[in-house]
Amino acid sequence: MGRTVQTRRETLTPARFIPPMKALGVNAVPAADAWHCEIKFDGYRAVVLLNDGRPELWSRNQKPLDYPELLPALAKIKCRNAVLDGEIVALDAKGHSDFQTLQGRALGERPAIVLFLFDILQLNGRRLTAEPFERRREILEKLLGKGSGPLRLSPSFDVAPAKFLAETRKQGLEGMILKRHGSPYEPDRRSGAWLKVKNINEQEFVIGGFTPPRNSRLYFGSILIGYFDRGKLLYCGKVGSGFDGRLLATLHAKFLKIAVPDSPFANLPLARRPRFGQGMTPAVMRMVTWLKPQLVAQIKFAEWTQDGILRQPVFLGLRADKSAKQVRREVAVIGQ
C-alpha cells in the first residue's frame, strides 16, 4: 500500500494503513469545558491513503472500500502523501447521513456518496498522531479548505456537550462524538479521549440463523441475531422488519452459502419465554436454519428488555467493515 518516494530533497515515508482510533460509548454527557463536539455519522469509517496522487480507501478492519466516485476528488488533494480519517455516508432528503440509503448501493441503487473527513494522521511523510487534536485539525483544514463536492470537512463545534446533544436530537441526528481538548490520536484504541453519545438505539449484531417464511413472504421470515461476550455468541432477538422482496432474495442467497447444522448461540434455548417476542424453545429452534456467525447486520431498535432481548428491532443493512468477533453489546442511549 504505497512506495517510498524518491526526491532530490529527501526520502518520504509512504502513507500506509493506520488502524483508526475508536470512540467509547457513554450514556451520560460529560462536563462542558474539556470537549470539542462533532456530529456522529451513520456510514462506513474510512482510512484514506494518498501516495503521489493515488488514493486508496480502507475500512476500519483494513478491507478495501469500493467507492470509485470519491477517488478523483481525493487525487486532487495537494500533498505528496497523507493518511486521513473519515466516514463515507449517503445523505437522505434532509441532508442527514442514512445507513439504509448507503445500503441501497449493494442493491444496484446509486445514492450520492459523501466522504466527511475529520482527522489527519500523516502528511508529507510526517506522522501527526502525537500532535494535539487542535493542531491536527488546523493542518486538516489548511489541506482541505471547506471541502467541496463529495469531500467535506466534518464540522467541529466548541459548545457545551449537553447543548450540542439537544440540538442533534432536535434535528433527528444519530448523536454526537466528543473529542478531548489537546488529545493525541491513539490508533486502534478506545481510551476515552473520544466519546460517542447516541440519540438512537442502533448498533451492529451478528446473524446466526433465520426462520422459514410465513404467509406471503418469500425466502425467510426473520433473522436471529446476537453479540459476542467473552468469546461466546449470545442470542438477543429476532428481526423481521426492514426487508423488501429484493433484499430478502439477496440475503437468502448469502445465507445458504454459510448454513451449518447446529446453533452458534451459547444461550439457546432460552430458559423462559421473554416478555416481548416469541420464545426460542427447542420446538421453535428445530425450524431455524443456522448460520456461521460471520455476517454483521446494522439494527435499529426501541430498547433492551430486562431479559436481554431487543424490542422492535429493524434491519438497516449488512456491514462489511466490521468483523463479527468484534461485535459487543453497546451502552444504551441517554434517557433509556
Side-chain angles (χ1 to χ4, degrees), residues 77-277:
I77 295 177
K78 294 181 179 180
C79 65
R80 296 158 75 189
N81 63 45
V83 181
L84 309 174
D85 189 3
E87 188 105 354
I88 296 172
V89 305
L91 302 180
D92 63 16
K94 296 181 180 179
H96 300 164
S97 62
D98 182 79
F99 192 77
Q100 279 187 309
T101 301
L102 185 62
Q103 281 289 297
R105 182 188 183 89
L107 299 175
E109 300 171 7
R110 285 293 176 261
I113 301 297
V114 173
L115 172 58
F116 282 97
L117 294 165
F118 47 73
D119 219 317
I120 183 166
L121 318 185
Q122 180 179 314
L123 180 63
N124 296 332
R126 180 188 168 208
R127 182 97 166 201
L128 300 173
T129 52
E131 296 287 338
F133 169 82
E134 295 81 4
R135 177 58 181 153
R136 300 196 312 275
R137 178 77 186 188
E138 179 184 330
I139 294 171
L140 182 62
E141 288 181 354
K142 185 176 180 180
L143 184 68
L144 295 180
K146 294 183 179 180
S148 61
L151 298 187
R152 312 280 176 87
L153 179 66
S154 174
S156 181
F157 304 89
D158 289 323
V159 297
K163 181 178 180 180
F164 188 75
L165 183 65
E167 185 61 29
T168 64
R169 185 174 292 132
K170 180 180 177 181
Q171 294 188 29
L173 300 173
E174 187 186 2
M176 69 178 178
I177 298 291
L178 301 177
K179 298 180 178 179
R180 189 185 299 278
H181 289 177
S183 58
Y185 190 98
E186 302 173 81
D188 205 29
R189 290 199 64 206
R190 202 186 306 271
S191 67
W194 288 11
L195 304 177
K196 59 182 175 182
V197 186
K198 293 184 177 182
N199 295 321
I200 302 168
N201 277 318
E202 182 181 316
Q203 72 156 91
E204 305 98 344
F205 292 96
V206 180
I207 303 175
F210 65 89
T211 62
R214 298 177 61 186
N215 301 323
S216 61
R217 173 172 279 191
L218 301 175
Y219 300 107
F220 63 88
S222 301
I223 57 172
L224 279 64
I225 60 170
Y227 59 92
F228 278 96
D229 183 19
R230 299 174 187 175
K232 295 181 179 180
L233 183 63
L234 301 183
Y235 169 81
C236 65
K238 294 193 299 183
V239 185
S241 299
F243 308 102
D244 61 19
R246 184 168 52 170
L247 187 55
L248 286 167
T250 301
L251 290 174
H252 188 254
K254 291 180 181 292
F255 294 164
L256 294 181
K257 295 177 182 178
I258 56 171
V260 292
D262 300 314
S263 168
F265 297 102
N267 59 335
L268 290 184
L270 296 178
R272 60 191 179 94
R273 179 171 179 166
R275 182 180 177 187
F276 298 96

